[in-house]
Coordinates of all heavy atoms in Angstrom, one line a residue:
G1 N 92.5 114.9 112.3 CA 92.3 114.7 113.6 C 91.5 113.6 114.1 O 92.1 112.6 114.6
H2 N 90.2 113.6 114.0 CA 89.4 112.7 114.8 C 89.6 111.2 114.3 O 89.7 110.3 115.1 CB 87.9 113.1 114.6 CG 87.0 112.2 115.4 ND1 87.0 112.2 116.8 CD2 86.0 111.3 115.0 CE1 86.1 111.3 117.2 NE2 85.5 110.8 116.2
A3 N 89.7 111.0 113.0 CA 89.9 109.6 112.5 C 91.2 109.1 112.9 O 91.3 107.9 113.3 CB 89.8 109.6 110.9
F4 N 92.2 109.9 113.0 CA 93.6 109.5 113.4 C 93.5 109.1 114.9 O 94.0 108.1 115.3 CB 94.6 110.6 113.2 CG 96.0 110.2 113.3 CD1 96.6 109.3 112.4 CD2 96.8 110.7 114.3 CE1 97.9 108.9 112.6 CE2 98.1 110.3 114.5 CZ 98.7 109.4 113.6
E5 N 92.8 109.9 115.7 CA 92.7 109.6 117.1 C 91.9 108.3 117.3 O 92.3 107.5 118.2 CB 92.0 110.7 117.9 CG 92.8 112.0 117.9 CD 92.0 113.2 118.4 OE1 90.8 113.1 118.7 OE2 92.6 114.3 118.4
R6 N 90.9 108.0 116.5 CA 90.1 106.8 116.6 C 91.0 105.6 116.3 O 90.8 104.5 116.9 CB 88.8 106.9 115.8 CG 87.8 107.8 116.4 CD 86.5 107.9 115.5 NE 86.1 106.7 114.9 CZ 85.7 106.6 113.6 NH1 85.6 107.6 112.9 NH2 85.3 105.4 113.1
A7 N 91.8 105.8 115.2 CA 92.7 104.7 114.8 C 93.7 104.3 115.9 O 93.9 103.1 116.2 CB 93.4 105.1 113.5
I8 N 94.2 105.3 116.5 CA 95.2 105.1 117.6 C 94.5 104.4 118.8 O 95.0 103.4 119.3 CB 95.8 106.4 118.1 CG1 96.7 107.0 117.0 CG2 96.6 106.2 119.4 CD1 97.2 108.4 117.2
A9 N 93.3 104.8 119.1 CA 92.6 104.2 120.2 C 92.2 102.8 119.9 O 92.4 101.9 120.8 CB 91.3 105.0 120.5
A10 N 91.8 102.5 118.7 CA 91.5 101.1 118.3 C 92.8 100.2 118.3 O 92.7 99.1 118.8 CB 90.9 101.1 116.8
L11 N 93.9 100.7 117.9 CA 95.1 99.9 117.9 C 95.6 99.7 119.4 O 96.0 98.6 119.7 CB 96.3 100.7 117.2 CG 96.3 100.5 115.7 CD1 97.3 101.5 115.0 CD2 96.6 99.1 115.3
A12 N 95.5 100.7 120.2 CA 95.8 100.5 121.6 C 94.9 99.5 122.3 O 95.4 98.6 123.0 CB 95.7 101.9 122.3
D13 N 93.6 99.6 122.0 CA 92.7 98.7 122.6 C 93.0 97.2 122.1 O 92.9 96.3 122.9 CB 91.2 99.1 122.2 CG 90.2 98.3 122.9 OD1 90.2 98.2 124.1 OD2 89.4 97.6 122.2
A14 N 93.2 97.1 120.8 CA 93.5 95.8 120.3 C 94.8 95.2 120.9 O 94.8 94.0 121.3 CB 93.7 95.8 118.7
G15 N 95.8 96.0 121.0 CA 97.1 95.6 121.6 C 96.9 95.2 123.1 O 97.4 94.1 123.5
L16 N 96.2 96.0 123.8 CA 96.0 95.7 125.3 C 95.1 94.5 125.5 O 95.3 93.8 126.5 CB 95.4 96.9 126.0 CG 96.3 98.1 126.1 CD1 95.5 99.4 126.6 CD2 97.4 97.8 127.0
N17 N 94.2 94.2 124.6 CA 93.3 93.1 124.8 C 93.7 91.8 124.0 O 92.9 90.9 123.9 CB 91.9 93.5 124.4 CG 91.4 94.5 125.4 OD1 91.3 94.2 126.6 ND2 91.0 95.7 125.0
G18 N 94.9 91.8 123.4 CA 95.4 90.6 122.7 C 94.6 90.3 121.4 O 94.6 89.2 121.0
R19 N 94.0 91.3 120.8 CA 93.3 91.2 119.6 C 94.3 91.1 118.4 O 95.4 91.5 118.5 CB 92.3 92.3 119.3 CG 91.3 92.5 120.5 CD 90.4 91.3 120.7 NE 89.8 90.9 119.5 CZ 89.0 89.8 119.4 NH1 88.7 89.1 120.5 NH2 88.4 89.5 118.3
R20 N 93.8 90.7 117.2 CA 94.6 90.7 116.0 C 94.9 92.1 115.5 O 94.0 92.9 115.4 CB 94.0 89.9 114.9 CG 94.0 88.4 115.1 CD 93.5 87.6 114.0 NE 94.0 88.1 112.7 CZ 93.4 87.8 111.5 NH1 92.3 87.1 111.5 NH2 94.0 88.2 110.4
I21 N 96.2 92.3 115.1 CA 96.5 93.5 114.4 C 97.3 93.1 113.2 O 98.3 92.4 113.2 CB 97.5 94.4 115.3 CG1 96.7 94.9 116.6 CG2 97.9 95.6 114.5 CD1 97.6 95.6 117.6
D22 N 96.7 93.4 112.0 CA 97.3 93.1 110.7 C 97.7 94.4 110.0 O 97.0 95.4 110.0 CB 96.3 92.4 109.8 CG 96.0 91.0 110.3 OD1 96.6 90.4 111.2 OD2 95.0 90.4 109.7
F23 N 98.9 94.3 109.5 CA 99.4 95.4 108.6 C 99.5 94.9 107.2 O 100.1 93.9 106.9 CB 100.8 95.9 109.1 CG 100.8 96.5 110.4 CD1 101.2 95.8 111.5 CD2 100.5 97.9 110.6 CE1 101.2 96.4 112.8 CE2 100.6 98.5 111.8 CZ 100.9 97.7 112.9
Y24 N 98.7 95.6 106.3 CA 98.7 95.2 104.9 C 99.4 96.3 104.0 O 99.1 97.5 104.2 CB 97.2 95.1 104.4 CG 96.4 94.1 105.1 CD1 95.0 94.3 105.2 CD2 96.9 93.0 105.8 CE1 94.2 93.4 105.8 CE2 96.1 92.1 106.4 CZ 94.7 92.3 106.5 OH 93.9 91.4 107.1
G25 N 100.2 95.8 103.1 CA 100.9 96.7 102.2 C 101.4 95.9 101.0 O 101.7 94.7 101.2
V26 N 101.6 96.5 99.9 CA 102.2 95.8 98.7 C 103.4 96.6 98.2 O 103.4 97.9 98.4 CB 101.2 95.6 97.6 CG1 100.1 94.6 98.0 CG2 100.6 96.9 97.1
G27 N 104.4 96.0 97.6 CA 105.5 96.7 97.1 C 106.3 97.3 98.3 O 106.5 96.7 99.3
N28 N 106.7 98.6 98.1 CA 107.4 99.3 99.1 C 106.5 99.4 100.4 O 107.1 99.4 101.5 CB 107.8 100.7 98.7 CG 108.9 100.7 97.7 OD1 109.7 99.7 97.6 ND2 109.0 101.7 96.9
S29 N 105.2 99.5 100.3 CA 104.3 99.6 101.4 C 104.3 98.3 102.2 O 104.1 98.3 103.4 CB 102.9 100.0 101.0 OG 102.9 101.3 100.4
G30 N 104.6 97.2 101.5 CA 104.8 95.9 102.2 C 106.0 95.9 103.1 O 105.9 95.3 104.2
I31 N 107.1 96.6 102.7 CA 108.2 96.7 103.6 C 107.9 97.6 104.8 O 108.3 97.3 105.9 CB 109.4 97.4 102.8 CG1 109.8 96.4 101.7 CG2 110.6 97.7 103.7 CD1 110.8 97.0 100.7
V32 N 107.1 98.6 104.6 CA 106.6 99.5 105.7 C 105.8 98.6 106.7 O 105.9 98.8 107.9 CB 105.9 100.7 105.2 CG1 105.3 101.5 106.4 CG2 106.8 101.6 104.3
A33 N 104.9 97.8 106.1 CA 104.1 96.9 107.0 C 104.9 96.0 107.8 O 104.7 95.8 109.0 CB 103.1 96.1 106.1
L34 N 106.0 95.4 107.2 CA 106.9 94.5 107.9 C 107.6 95.3 109.0 O 107.8 94.8 110.1 CB 107.9 93.9 107.0 CG 108.8 92.8 107.5 CD1 107.9 91.7 108.1 CD2 109.7 92.3 106.5
D35 N 108.0 96.5 108.7 CA 108.7 97.3 109.7 C 107.7 97.6 110.9 O 108.1 97.6 112.1 CB 109.2 98.6 109.1 CG 109.9 99.5 110.1 OD1 111.0 99.0 110.7 OD2 109.5 100.6 110.4
A36 N 106.4 97.9 110.6 CA 105.5 98.1 111.6 C 105.3 96.9 112.5 O 105.2 97.0 113.7 CB 104.1 98.5 111.0
Q37 N 105.2 95.7 111.9 CA 105.1 94.5 112.7 C 106.3 94.4 113.6 O 106.1 94.1 114.8 CB 105.2 93.3 111.7 CG 105.2 91.9 112.4 CD 105.4 90.8 111.5 OE1 104.7 90.7 110.5 NE2 106.3 89.9 111.8
H38 N 107.5 94.6 113.2 CA 108.7 94.6 114.0 C 108.6 95.6 115.2 O 109.0 95.3 116.3 CB 110.0 94.8 113.2 CG 110.3 93.6 112.3 ND1 111.5 93.5 111.7 CD2 109.6 92.6 111.9 CE1 111.5 92.4 111.0 NE2 110.3 91.8 111.1
K39 N 108.2 96.8 114.9 CA 108.0 97.8 115.9 C 107.0 97.4 117.0 O 107.3 97.6 118.2 CB 107.6 99.2 115.3 CG 108.6 99.8 114.3 CD 109.8 100.3 115.0 CE 110.6 101.2 114.1 NZ 111.4 100.5 113.1
F40 N 105.9 96.8 116.6 CA 104.9 96.4 117.5 C 105.5 95.2 118.4 O 105.2 95.1 119.6 CB 103.6 96.0 116.8 CG 102.7 97.2 116.7 CD1 103.1 98.3 115.9 CD2 101.4 97.2 117.3 CE1 102.2 99.4 115.7 CE2 100.6 98.3 117.1 CZ 101.0 99.4 116.4
F41 N 106.2 94.3 117.7 CA 106.8 93.2 118.4 C 107.7 93.7 119.5 O 107.7 93.2 120.7 CB 107.7 92.3 117.5 CG 106.9 91.3 116.7 CD1 107.5 90.6 115.7 CD2 105.6 91.0 117.0 CE1 106.8 89.6 115.0 CE2 104.9 90.0 116.2 CZ 105.5 89.4 115.2
R42 N 108.5 94.7 119.2 CA 109.4 95.3 120.2 C 108.7 95.9 121.4 O 109.2 96.1 122.5 CB 110.3 96.3 119.6 CG 111.3 95.7 118.6 CD 112.3 96.6 118.1 NE 113.2 96.9 119.1 CZ 114.2 97.8 119.0 NH1 114.3 98.5 117.9 NH2 115.0 98.1 120.0
L43 N 107.4 96.3 121.2 CA 106.6 96.8 122.3 C 105.8 95.7 123.0 O 105.1 95.9 123.9 CB 105.5 97.8 121.7 CG 106.1 99.1 121.1 CD1 105.0 99.8 120.4 CD2 106.7 99.9 122.2
G44 N 106.1 94.4 122.5 CA 105.4 93.3 123.1 C 104.0 93.0 122.6 O 103.2 92.4 123.3
V45 N 103.7 93.6 121.5 CA 102.4 93.5 120.9 C 102.4 92.6 119.6 O 103.2 92.8 118.7 CB 101.8 94.9 120.5 CG1 100.4 94.7 119.8 CG2 101.7 95.8 121.7
R46 N 101.6 91.5 119.7 CA 101.6 90.6 118.5 C 100.9 91.3 117.3 O 99.8 91.9 117.4 CB 100.7 89.4 119.0 CG 100.7 88.3 118.0 CD 99.9 87.1 118.6 NE 98.7 87.5 119.3 CZ 97.5 87.1 119.0 NH1 97.3 86.2 118.1 NH2 96.5 87.5 119.8
A47 N 101.6 91.2 116.2 CA 101.1 91.8 115.0 C 101.5 91.0 113.8 O 102.5 90.2 113.9 CB 101.6 93.2 114.8
T48 N 100.9 91.1 112.6 CA 101.2 90.4 111.4 C 101.3 91.3 110.3 O 100.4 92.2 110.1 CB 100.2 89.3 111.2 OG1 100.0 88.5 112.3 CG2 100.5 88.5 110.0
A49 N 102.3 91.2 109.5 CA 102.5 92.0 108.2 C 102.1 91.0 107.1 O 102.6 89.9 107.0 CB 103.9 92.5 108.1
V50 N 101.3 91.5 106.1 CA 100.9 90.7 105.0 C 101.1 91.5 103.7 O 100.6 92.6 103.6 CB 99.4 90.2 105.1 CG1 99.1 89.3 103.9 CG2 99.2 89.5 106.4
S51 N 101.9 91.0 102.8 CA 102.2 91.8 101.6 C 101.6 91.1 100.3 O 101.6 91.7 99.2 CB 103.7 92.0 101.4 OG 104.3 90.7 101.3
D52 N 101.0 89.9 100.4 CA 100.4 89.3 99.3 C 98.9 89.6 99.3 O 98.2 89.5 100.3 CB 100.6 87.8 99.4 CG 99.9 87.0 98.3 OD1 100.5 86.8 97.2 OD2 98.7 86.6 98.4
G53 N 98.4 90.1 98.1 CA 97.1 90.6 98.0 C 96.0 89.5 98.3 O 95.0 89.8 99.0
H54 N 96.2 88.3 97.8 CA 95.3 87.2 98.1 C 95.2 86.9 99.6 O 94.2 86.6 100.1 CB 95.6 86.0 97.3 CG 95.5 86.2 95.8 ND1 94.3 86.4 95.2 CD2 96.4 86.2 94.8 CE1 94.5 86.6 93.9 NE2 95.7 86.5 93.6
V55 N 96.4 86.8 100.2 CA 96.5 86.5 101.6 C 95.8 87.7 102.5 O 95.2 87.4 103.5 CB 97.9 86.2 102.1 CG1 98.0 85.9 103.6 CG2 98.5 85.0 101.3
Q56 N 96.0 88.9 102.0 CA 95.4 90.0 102.7 C 93.9 89.9 102.7 O 93.2 90.1 103.7 CB 95.8 91.4 102.0 CG 97.2 91.8 102.2 CD 97.6 92.9 101.3 OE1 96.9 93.3 100.4 NE2 98.8 93.4 101.5
V57 N 93.3 89.5 101.6 CA 91.9 89.3 101.5 C 91.4 88.2 102.4 O 90.4 88.3 103.2 CB 91.4 89.1 100.0 CG1 90.0 88.6 100.0 CG2 91.6 90.4 99.2
M58 N 92.2 87.1 102.4 CA 91.8 85.9 103.3 C 91.9 86.3 104.7 O 91.1 86.0 105.6 CB 92.7 84.7 103.0 CG 92.4 84.1 101.7 SD 93.3 82.5 101.4 CE 94.9 83.1 101.2
S59 N 93.0 87.1 105.1 CA 93.2 87.5 106.4 C 92.1 88.5 106.9 O 91.6 88.3 108.0 CB 94.6 88.2 106.5 OG 94.8 88.6 107.8
A60 N 91.7 89.4 106.0 CA 90.7 90.3 106.3 C 89.3 89.6 106.6 O 88.6 90.1 107.5 CB 90.5 91.4 105.2
T61 N 89.1 88.5 105.9 CA 87.8 87.8 106.2 C 87.8 87.2 107.6 O 86.7 86.9 108.1 CB 87.5 86.7 105.1 OG1 88.5 85.7 105.2 CG2 87.5 87.3 103.7
M62 N 88.9 87.0 108.2 CA 89.0 86.3 109.5 C 89.0 87.3 110.6 O 89.1 86.9 111.8 CB 90.2 85.4 109.5 CG 90.2 84.3 108.5 SD 91.7 83.3 108.4 CE 91.6 82.5 110.0
L63 N 89.1 88.6 110.3 CA 89.0 89.6 111.4 C 87.7 89.6 112.1 O 86.6 89.4 111.5 CB 89.3 91.0 110.8 CG 90.7 91.3 110.3 CD1 90.7 92.6 109.5 CD2 91.7 91.2 111.3
T64 N 87.7 89.8 113.4 CA 86.5 89.9 114.2 C 86.4 91.2 115.0 O 87.4 91.9 115.0 CB 86.3 88.7 115.1 OG1 87.4 88.7 116.0 CG2 86.3 87.4 114.4
H65 N 85.3 91.4 115.6 CA 85.2 92.7 116.4 C 86.3 92.9 117.4 O 86.7 92.0 118.1 CB 83.8 92.7 117.1 CG 83.6 94.0 117.9 ND1 83.2 95.1 117.2 CD2 83.7 94.3 119.2 CE1 83.1 96.1 118.1 NE2 83.4 95.6 119.3
G66 N 87.0 94.1 117.3 CA 88.1 94.4 118.2 C 89.4 94.2 117.5 O 90.4 94.6 118.1
D67 N 89.5 93.4 116.4 CA 90.7 93.3 115.7 C 91.0 94.6 114.8 O 90.0 95.3 114.6 CB 90.6 92.1 114.7 CG 90.5 90.8 115.4 OD1 90.9 90.7 116.6 OD2 90.1 89.8 114.8
C68 N 92.2 94.8 114.4 CA 92.6 95.9 113.6 C 93.3 95.5 112.3 O 94.2 94.7 112.4 CB 93.4 96.9 114.4 SG 92.5 97.8 115.6
A69 N 93.0 96.2 111.2 CA 93.8 96.1 110.0 C 94.3 97.5 109.7 O 93.5 98.4 109.7 CB 92.9 95.5 108.9
V70 N 95.6 97.6 109.5 CA 96.2 98.9 109.1 C 96.6 98.7 107.7 O 97.5 97.9 107.3 CB 97.4 99.2 110.0 CG1 98.0 100.5 109.6 CG2 97.0 99.2 111.5
I71 N 96.0 99.5 106.8 CA 96.2 99.5 105.4 C 97.3 100.5 105.0 O 97.0 101.7 105.3 CB 95.0 99.7 104.6 CG1 93.8 98.9 105.1 CG2 95.2 99.4 103.1 CD1 93.9 97.4 105.1
I72 N 98.4 100.1 104.5 CA 99.5 101.1 104.2 C 99.6 101.1 102.6 O 99.8 100.1 102.0 CB 100.8 100.6 104.8 CG1 100.7 100.5 106.3 CG2 101.9 101.6 104.4 CD1 101.8 99.7 107.0
S73 N 99.4 102.4 102.1 CA 99.5 102.6 100.7 C 100.0 104.0 100.3 O 99.5 104.9 100.9 CB 98.1 102.4 100.1 OG 98.1 102.7 98.7
N74 N 100.9 104.0 99.4 CA 101.5 105.3 99.0 C 100.5 106.0 98.1 O 100.2 107.2 98.2 CB 102.8 105.1 98.3 CG 103.5 106.4 98.0 OD1 103.6 107.3 98.8 ND2 103.9 106.6 96.7
S75 N 99.8 105.2 97.2 CA 98.9 105.8 96.2 C 97.5 105.9 96.7 O 96.7 106.7 96.3 CB 99.0 105.0 94.9 OG 98.4 103.8 95.1
G76 N 97.1 104.9 97.5 CA 95.7 104.8 97.9 C 94.8 104.2 96.9 O 93.6 104.2 97.0
H77 N 95.4 103.6 95.8 CA 94.6 103.1 94.7 C 94.8 101.6 94.4 O 94.3 101.1 93.4 CB 95.0 103.9 93.4 CG 94.5 105.3 93.4 ND1 94.6 106.1 94.5 CD2 94.0 106.1 92.5 CE1 94.2 107.3 94.2 NE2 93.8 107.3 93.0
S78 N 95.6 100.9 95.2 CA 95.9 99.5 95.0 C 94.6 98.7 95.1 O 94.0 98.7 96.2 CB 97.0 99.0 95.9 OG 97.0 97.6 95.9
R79 N 94.2 98.0 94.1 CA 93.0 97.3 94.1 C 92.9 96.2 95.2 O 91.9 96.1 95.9 CB 92.8 96.6 92.7 CG 91.4 95.8 92.6 CD 90.3 96.8 92.3 NE 89.5 97.0 93.6 CZ 88.8 98.0 93.8 NH1 88.7 99.0 93.0 NH2 88.1 98.1 95.0
D80 N 94.0 95.5 95.4 CA 94.1 94.4 96.4 C 93.9 95.0 97.8 O 93.1 94.5 98.6 CB 95.4 93.7 96.4 CG 95.5 92.7 95.2 OD1 94.4 92.3 94.6 OD2 96.6 92.3 94.9
L81 N 94.6 96.2 98.0 CA 94.4 96.8 99.3 C 93.0 97.4 99.6 O 92.5 97.3 100.7 CB 95.5 97.9 99.5 CG 96.9 97.5 99.7 CD1 97.9 98.6 99.6 CD2 97.1 96.7 101.0
L82 N 92.5 97.9 98.5 CA 91.1 98.5 98.6 C 90.1 97.3 98.9 O 89.2 97.5 99.8 CB 90.7 99.2 97.4 CG 91.5 100.5 97.2 CD1 91.1 101.1 95.8 CD2 91.1 101.6 98.2
D83 N 90.3 96.2 98.3 CA 89.4 95.0 98.5 C 89.6 94.6 100.0 O 88.6 94.3 100.6 CB 89.8 93.9 97.6 CG 89.3 94.2 96.1 OD1 88.5 95.1 95.9 OD2 89.8 93.4 95.2
A84 N 90.8 94.5 100.4 CA 91.1 94.0 101.8 C 90.5 95.0 102.8 O 89.9 94.6 103.8 CB 92.6 93.8 102.0
A85 N 90.6 96.3 102.5 CA 90.0 97.3 103.4 C 88.5 97.2 103.5 O 87.9 97.3 104.6 CB 90.4 98.7 103.0
E86 N 87.9 97.0 102.4 CA 86.4 96.9 102.3 C 85.9 95.6 103.1 O 85.0 95.7 103.9 CB 85.9 96.8 100.9 CG 84.4 96.7 100.8 CD 83.7 98.0 101.3 OE1 84.3 99.1 101.3 OE2 82.6 97.8 101.8
I87 N 86.7 94.5 103.0 CA 86.3 93.3 103.7 C 86.5 93.5 105.2 O 85.7 93.1 106.0 CB 87.1 92.1 103.1 CG1 86.7 91.8 101.7 CG2 87.0 90.9 104.0 CD1 87.6 90.8 100.9
A88 N 87.7 94.1 105.5 CA 88.0 94.3 106.9 C 86.9 95.2 107.6 O 86.5 95.0 108.7 CB 89.3 95.0 107.1
R89 N 86.4 96.2 106.9 CA 85.4 97.1 107.4 C 84.1 96.3 107.7 O 83.4 96.6 108.7 CB 85.1 98.2 106.4 CG 85.4 99.6 106.8 CD 84.9 100.6 105.9 NE 85.3 100.5 104.5 CZ 86.4 101.0 104.0 NH1 87.2 101.7 104.8 NH2 86.7 100.9 102.7
K90 N 83.8 95.3 106.9 CA 82.5 94.6 107.1 C 82.7 93.6 108.3 O 81.8 93.3 108.9 CB 82.2 93.8 105.8 CG 81.8 94.7 104.7 CD 81.5 93.9 103.4 CE 81.1 94.8 102.3 NZ 81.0 94.1 101.0

């Protein structure tokens, strides 16, 4: 519940205020991230899908207050994604 609602609110706020929205995924999750980018584009919201682990980490370091990173993972154990999530949180 509550975390999901907060995530939706953060994405809506980022989209309405022209903030960065990054979708990170590797393998099949990278395809899901690309699909999410396309869906957001169709809504008129600028978004970026990143499937390379090194680029995810670099991208996460450039996030600022109000930006969003959406981490997509089937297992929840991908080291690159966990690293990017930790950096994005900071």
Side-chain angles (χ1 to χ4, degrees):
H2 185 65
F4 193 65
E5 291 167 5
R6 286 180 39 224
I8 291 170
L11 279 169
D13 187 59
L16 290 170
N17 291 301
R19 304 300 307 177
R20 282 184 50 197
I21 299 174
D22 288 352
F23 293 97
Y24 301 154
V26 294
N28 287 337
S29 295
I31 295 167
V32 176
L34 187 58
D35 184 59
Q37 173 187 314
H38 289 192
K39 297 287 193 286
F40 273 61
F41 278 171
R42 292 187 71 186
L43 295 171
V45 178
R46 184 175 43 124
T48 304
V50 184
S51 59
D52 179 88
H54 295 294
V55 178
Q56 289 168 353
V57 168
M58 288 188 291
S59 181
T61 63
M62 298 176 67
L63 294 170
T64 61
H65 184 74
D67 295 340
C68 286
V70 179
I71 314 297
I72 302 166
S73 176
N74 189 50
S75 70
H77 293 40
S78 168
R79 184 77 258 156
D80 286 340
L81 288 174
L82 292 172
D83 289 346
E86 182 62 30
I87 291 166
R89 243 190 305 273
K90 291 179 182 173

